[in-house]
Amino acid sequence: MSQDKRYVRPYGDTTGDGMVQMSFTLPVPHGPRAEGAAQQLANKMGMDPAMVVHSHAIGADFTFVVVYGSVQHLVDLEQVRVVEREYPLLSPYEVNSELKESLGRKLVVVGACIGTDAHTVGIDAILNIKGFAGEKGLEYYRELKVINMGAQVSVPELVKRARTEKADAVLVSQVVTQRDAHILNTQEMSAAFREAMGDRRPTLVAGGPRFDPLMAGDLGVDRVFGRGTTPGEVASFLVHTVKKGVAA
Amino acid sequence: MSQDKRYVRPYGDTTGDGMVQMSFTLPVPHGPRAEGAAQQLANKMGMDPAMVVHSHAIGADFTFVVVYGSVQHLVDLEQVRVVEREYPLLSPYEVNSELKESLGRKLVVVGACIGTDAHTVGIDAILNIKGFAGEKGLEYYRELKVINMGAQVSVPELVKRARTEKADAVLVSQVVTQRDAHILNTQEMSAAFREAMGDRRPTLVAGGPRFDPLMAGDLGVDRVFGRGTTPGEVASFLVHTVKKGVAA
Amino acid sequence: MALLDLDGEVVGRARALAARAAEPVITLARAHTTVAVERATLRLAGITGADTTHRAGDVPWVNRVVDTIREHCGLEHGAVLPAFHALREHDLGSLTELAEATAAGQVRFTVPTGKQAERAGRAARTAVAKGLRTVDRNRGQRDKLVARLGDPARRPWIYLIVATGDIDEDVVQACNAARAGADVIAVIRSTGQSLLDYVPEGATHHGFAGTYATQENFRIMRAALDEVSKEVGRYVRLTNYASGLCMPEIAVLAGLERLDMMLNDSMYGILFRDINPIRTFVDQRFSRQVHARAGIIINTGEDNYLTTADAVEAAHTVTVSQLLNERFAHEAGLPDELLGLGHAFEINPDLADSFRMELAHALLARELFPDAPLKWMPPTKHMTGDVFKGYLLDGFFNLVGALTGQGILLVGMMTEAVVTPFLSDRDLALANVRYVLNAAGNLHEDFRPAPDGFIVKRAHQVLGEAVDLLERICRDGLLTAIAEGTFGLMKRPPDAGKGADGVVEKADGYVNPASELLEAGQ
Amino acid sequence: MALLDLDGEVVGRARALAARAAEPVITLARAHTTVAVERATLRLAGITGADTTHRAGDVPWVNRVVDTIREHCGLEHGAVLPAFHALREHDLGSLTELAEATAAGQVRFTVPTGKQAERAGRAARTAVAKGLRTVDRNRGQRDKLVARLGDPARRPWIYLIVATGDIDEDVVQACNAARAGADVIAVIRSTGQSLLDYVPEGATHHGFAGTYATQENFRIMRAALDEVSKEVGRYVRLTNYASGLCMPEIAVLAGLERLDMMLNDSMYGILFRDINPIRTFVDQRFSRQVHARAGIIINTGEDNYLTTADAVEAAHTVTVSQLLNERFAHEAGLPDELLGLGHAFEINPDLADSFRMELAHALLARELFPDAPLKWMPPTKHMTGDVFKGYLLDGFFNLVGALTGQGILLVGMMTEAVVTPFLSDRDLALANVRYVLNAAGNLHEDFRPAPDGFIVKRAHQVLGEAVDLLERICRDGLLTAIAEGTFGLMKRPPDAGKGADGVVEKADGYVNPASELLEAGQ
Ligand code: B12
Ligand code: B12
Ligand SMILES: Cc1ncc(COP(=O)(O)O)c(C=O)c1O
Ligand SMILES: Cc1ncc(COP(=O)(O)O)c(C=O)c1O
């Protein structure tokens, strides 16, 4: 392996071989033309050589293909953008004492699954005492007051409740992504808070398995959590925002 | 669907959505950086958006990922290059009578699996009476004389035998592809025939599951047959070369 | 053949307890009506169409009429008396004309009494009976088509979902699925629909993660499947959802458009859509009476509990719910052959002996409900983006289906954790089912759980826990149990939830010819 | 527990027939030696290294010596007599020095007689005994390591292949595989090696679809696996191939470097490498004697027949071959515990009841050879580029392994039809095995083939066909059967094939202390 390893390629069985597996369906009847089309697509994607190792008809109009091949692109690890956790991961004990110290009262968290989305398991994993992956949820934290509004909450309801509860943070979950529902709903939510409260809006957090943490800006929220988030990460982030707020 | 459908994209569940599935391994320890790297690669391949839907560690140094996403490239069906069968597919009866008519003697075919490759099932499927996919093999054709040299035949042996048998066509099979063995062996074979016989060399045919029929030129052979070839296709091609030769 | 050696007495006791637990809820259901039941009744009586001029978008005429009746004279006596009385008073030709007049503010609804009530009741009965005749005709037509085209060659029936959001794309995918081997096509509904207190109208093209259930969409899909049924030489069944706030109306529409199966659970709406419990139980009873009449197989939703609760810990809650669903269904007139009781392969696959535990649970359901066409649901919760692992898991799910004689097999998708299914997912999933049923479909002949072995013990344990839970429910009441989070860990108090204001206690003179005819089986 | 109710008499008859069929071949094997047997003997006696100055590339010293002996005085009396006689005559310190002198043309080999022969024989015996002591020490060392580190927690042992062509990459992949759960690592050989009439020297990096088997590569890999064994807390076994033209030498090298299993089949080389039958049977007998001494488990190659012949039609040829392999192995001193008899999951998966038929075949092998650690091979022939289908098929293969108590499970790869395995293929394949063994590993308790059902009948049928075939073989001779294409449809006449010229009929005064010591178990 290179000393520096800034550039890497996929690994099949030899360093640098670039091998990947790919499958897709083309709206082309099964036959050599469909395989040729698949080959062309793979080449355009930078696979060279690309082998169509399997194809079969799906009905009269479609062809399913499996392609193996070597991708010529290099991954530049220095250019990889990830949302780094710029705050420390705290234990529940630390979260509680930091909050007690910097806030002097309970931090109020309102959570909901907005729009017509009824997938509460994700947000419950973050909020309910039971928690997730062996970590207790936010309800377990003495210095947090958690209001879990459940599913299919409309944005106006959410804003209203956040206001009456004097929420410090609002956590929304979005699981259904068809037709970009998760993006549109979250944007509607952040716009409503901006509209209703301007700068005094609570910290806004969005979460769900198909969110990319890099999307916070686009969504108009302060933070986005994706697949496999644990309650501790969220609690630690909340402490971080409080301390930043206090410092600012 | 468009009337003309020259351009197509992969189909997930809606025309034009471009959805593909891809999996590969990166030589990067498991974590957000590996997922970011996978995302970068997918983007370079023209997938946008690209979702890393799964990743797990393979040992300490590697990460396996599954990516779904929409490929932005278009497939131009008019640019698809396939080797069209420019000759008719004949029945054994037609093959025999055409050969009898245009050649007046049996056509001599020498087959072998060359190099260290011992995979005879493929060439046997073409040559043996038993055949393949319900079609009888070339031995079944009255007007063909078939010599099947079996496996692990060296190129000099093959040339020698082709000469003594006065072969009209030499059929070689190559199944093992690691380190491009199939390409190198076939090129060595065609070079040897050119060297030994010049223009009077027999028709050279290469076959095997990982060959691309477009490669004939590179390999220095007259025709390449890939996955799923049937004996009838090969017999029909042989008739075609004979008739072309007679005409020329 | 019985493999689990279940104690007949324990089984009998479980059923008796379920009946006792259900009784108070049935009494409650009989004592109430809902806006949805009344709308469903008027739909049976022939009302169709929507007010397209309304500023809130298309409002079905039936909603306009029932809302106005309620405003004018309440629904305690049912909708038909005021409606048919008004029809006559205003000398209108049809319920649709009545609706137009209502919208124009020209009608003042009152509850007729005496002779007038009798006359209105008779007219209503005639109209509803006509609607029921359509339902009966559809049932007969289904029987005829099945006789002509044939049923699937084997059990389990292969059940596939389409969910593009656009009825036209759904048709393409459904027909392809049928050609590839699907015996049952379910059109998943758009995420929002269950909370709409009306049924949308017309063909629709913009659902989220599903397509709206409308009478026209039903018609389009059933017609397409009738075509493809001929092509594939077997009757391909169509499924939708009689659930949410419009459960009874959708049941009626299903009967009118010859749907063949409907998702219809006694508690799903309460637990997973936060719909008011009373509303749900009232709506459920009426909708099941309609299904019974239409010969529609209901599919219950026990699988859902295992997505929010743990499939091992909560296994007995599935059994309890199946027994309750059975009881409610029997009470509403559904025979065993129409009971597609649900259960699912949702145990954490990392658990030791998880596959055998799945076998135990599936076999328990099979032996408790020998005549019901059980619906076997695939892994969803423990599916991940690792599509290879998922494909394997689905294979083992299929194997359980084959080994335990399930009636309806909902085909699992390798992309479960990723997207609603791609065309290729469905195709690969069917190939998976085909391999397993073809290669190992008869393995049940060689499957004999060791007496007193792991599988038998586990099944007995779950049954025992179910009996214990049923005893607790009999003591505390089903509504309390639901409020305490017994099912799927969801806590739903009886007075909360959506649609509670649509529940109305029946007055003494309540008239509903639909209920009467259905109850009497006429 | 016997599930197939096999008739003990039929089984006994099958074994007796196999012994009768093997007898003439064993007599033939005893009557001949080969260049490879002689080289193997000298390797045991201590010769190592290669002539690096030769223009044909590195030629092992042992080849130089044996070829020269043959040239000078023939091999009918064995190589040790001329070699040790020359050693003494030229007053050389070691066989390696003898080789150098041979290469320099300074040695003229002759067959000593009388006292000189006795002396040469004694010296050879001492040298060979020393070599065998190393083999014995390695066996003891393996026992010690197994005792200390432990065997895999369960059966079947998980067997994985590495095949990069480069021993260094192989080490990386092997260690990762062991960490991920592999119990046995096999280093696949380069495609060309089996036809080389010498064993390459040193560490190698450029094999095709496999890595050369060399003593140094053996050492490197065994050392790496010893390290990783400590890490994972169980003794990870190493496998290579005692097959091809150097079968006996490789067996010796395996014994010297503490390999744990070797692919070693009585007919594979004949059928699939077109090696001369007599050469193969002679080499095979010697190599098995070495394996017996070294405590190495042999793996036979019946799986291969099912790639060229049909797995249903040819099922009985697998059984026959297993019985022959067993007989040859017993005769060479191998006990049942060292008999990794092979068979495979190669039935066309589209065939109805294919999975149950696989169960029948696998169970038949299990019950015929109750004490042998059967090696269960995955689907290869019917694997296609559809990697999803392949992954599923491998799952069902794993399930057969678990249900029928196989001893060694060669892990199937989803890319079987595509490439030699990727790192990720191996990882996914192990995840597949883990799921199946963990979730369904105990299902065998619930697996009871219906008496007189499909599985039992099929097993009886295959056994019956095997007995019939054995009878034919006894009548016509095994060599004739091979010539007629009985196994794997490959026709191999006894006088054709590679390496025939390396076979030498023993003279009366033939001396081979290795054979003597091995035969006597000293
Ligand atoms: C359970 C489940 C259900 C249950 C939901 C029960 C409930 N009360 O939640 C039921 C059965 C009711 C259900 C119904 C439907 N479902 Co559903 N369901 C699932 C399933 C199987 C698992 C989801 C889950 O619970 N994951 C476990 C949790 C812990 O993970 P998570 O949600 O990712 O949450 C983690 C992180 O994302 C993050 N996180 C999530 N939210 C938040 C919020 C904040 C603030 C933070 C910080 C972090 C965070 O932290 C969590 C812990 O790490 C998935 C498939 C799958 N395997 O993923 C489909 C799935 C999500 N469902 C789907 C669909 C389409 C539906 C339906 C719409 C189908 C229909 N038309 O009927 C219905 C309707 C639901 C509706 N109106 O929304 C699709 C969505 C497709 C898409 N991408 O658009 C999926 C992917 C299945 C599929 N392939 O079709 N479903
Ligand atoms: C059967 C088999 C064997 C048998 C071969 C028996 C025999 N006598 O042929 C045995 C068990 C001996 C074997 C051994 C090995 N095998 Co092998 N084997 C296979 C297997 C399972 C099937 C191949 C097959 O028979 N296909 C069926 C035939 C009908 O298909 P086909 O070859 O594609 O032929 C068709 C077309 O391609 C075409 N065609 C083929 N040749 C020709 C020629 C002409 C002239 C024409 C016109 C057409 C034509 O027509 C045929 C009919 O349609 C494949 C995996 C797989 N599922 O594909 C691995 C595979 C080919 N083997 C492989 C390897 C590595 C080996 C070994 C080298 C392993 C080792 N190191 O020990 C050994 C050594 C063999 C050697 N020296 O070459 C690899 C090759 C990897 C690569 N791409 O480089 C594969 C892909 C498995 C893997 N994933 O590792 N193998
Ligand atoms: C029993 C039952 N009813 C209904 C639904 C569908 O949900 P909705 O009513 O929101 O369309 C499901 C979901 O799978 C279900 O299991
Ligand atoms: C029994 C046996 N020996 C040897 C081999 C390997 O072949 P070769 O001897 O060419 O390395 C195999 C292949 O799988 C085999 O099954």
Side-chain angles (χ1 to χ4, degrees), chain C residues 65-80:
Chain C
V65 170
V66 170
D67 288 351
T68 310
I69 293 176
R70 190 173 191 189
E71 216 179 289
H72 291 180
C73 61
L75 283 173
E76 304 79 40
H77 297 85
V80 296

Side-chain angles (χ1 to χ4, degrees), chain B residues 116-123 125-126 132 152 171-178 205-210 225-230 234, chain D residues 188-191 209-210 241 268 272-273 304 307-308 380-381 383 415-421 490:
Chain B
T116 55
D117 201 325
H119 291 90
T120 53
V121 177
I123 184 122
I126 303 299
F132 184 69
Q152 302 195 260
L171 275 54
V172 304
S173 180
Q174 287 286 273
V175 174
V176 174
T177 61
Q178 220 192 23
V205 175
R210 293 280 87 79
F225 288 95
R227 246 174 337 121
T229 306
T230 60
V234 181
Chain D
I188 298 296
R189 301 201 302 185
S190 176
T191 52
Y241 295 75
Y268 172 86
F272 296 98
R273 292 294 172 272
N304 297 287
T307 66
T308 50
T380 63
K381 183 182 183 172
M383 294 292 277
T415 48
E416 172 61 31
V418 184
V419 285
T420 45
M490 310 305 277

Side-chain angles (χ1 to χ4, degrees), chain D residues 373-407:
Chain D
L374 300 185
K375 177 153 172 213
W376 181 228
M377 304 283 291
T380 63
K381 183 182 183 172
H382 295 285
M383 294 292 277
T384 67
D386 182 345
V387 287
F388 299 103
K389 183 174 171 189
Y391 198 68
L392 175 68
L393 210 58
D394 282 335
F396 278 73
F397 156 76
N398 292 333
L399 184 59
V400 171
L403 281 176
T404 61
Q406 301 299 314

Side-chain angles (χ1 to χ4, degrees), chain A residues 21 23-25 56-60 62 64 116-118 120-121 124 130 151-153 176-181 184 209-210, chain C residues 163-166 176 191-192 195 205-210 272-273 307-308 388 417-418 420 423-424 427-428 489-490 498:
Chain A
Q21 172 276 332
S23 72
F24 53 86
T25 303
H56 69 242
I58 303 186
F62 294 93
F64 178 70
T116 55
D117 201 325
T120 52
V121 177
D124 287 349
K130 204 177 139 201
Q152 302 195 263
V153 174
V176 174
T177 61
Q178 221 191 23
R179 297 175 200 268
D180 284 338
L184 302 175
R210 291 279 87 79
Chain C
T164 68
D166 179 335
N176 273 330
T191 53
L195 298 189
H205 307 280
H206 296 286
F208 287 95
F272 296 98
R273 292 294 173 271
T307 66
T308 50
F388 300 103
V418 183
T420 45
L423 182 69
S424 56
D427 184 76
L428 287 168
L489 304 180
M490 310 303 279
K498 284 139 186 158

Side-chain angles (χ1 to χ4, degrees), chain C residues 49 81 116 147-148 178 183 185 226 346 350 431-432 454 498 507 521:
Chain C
L81 286 185
Q116 287 188 320
R148 187 181 317 152
D183 302 314
I185 299 289
D226 278 348
E346 288 281 21
D350 294 338
N432 189 325
F454 180 88
K498 284 139 186 158

Side-chain angles (χ1 to χ4, degrees), chain C residues 25-32 37 247-248 264 279-291 328 331-333 506 515 518-519:
Chain C
V25 170
I26 295 170
T27 309
L28 209 62
R30 285 176 185 273
H32 292 82
V37 166
M247 187 188 281
N264 179 274
R279 166 82 178 248
T280 297
F281 283 119
V282 177
D283 286 352
Q284 178 243 184
R285 184 164 184 271
F286 185 89
S287 62
R288 288 189 175 187
Q289 292 177 323
V290 175
H291 288 143
F328 286 127
E331 195 278 329
K506 290 183 190 167
S515 297
L518 290 167
E519 204 102 32

Side-chain angles (χ1 to χ4, degrees), chain A residues 116-126 132 152 171-178 205-210 225-230 234, chain C residues 163 188-192 194 208-210 241 268 272-273 303-304 307-308 346 380-384 415-421 490:
Chain A
T116 55
D117 201 325
H119 291 89
T120 52
V121 177
I123 184 124
D124 287 349
I126 302 297
F132 184 70
Q152 302 195 263
L171 275 53
V172 304
S173 180
Q174 287 287 272
V175 174
V176 174
T177 61
Q178 221 191 23
V205 175
R210 291 279 87 79
F225 289 94
R227 245 175 337 122
T229 306
T230 61
V234 181
Chain C
I188 298 296
R189 302 200 303 184
S190 175
T191 53
S194 46
F208 287 95
Y241 295 75
Y268 173 85
F272 296 98
R273 292 294 173 271
D303 52 293
N304 297 287
T307 66
T308 50
E346 288 281 21
T380 63
K381 184 180 182 173
H382 294 286
M383 294 292 277
T384 67
T415 47
E416 171 62 31
V418 183
V419 285
T420 45
M490 310 303 279

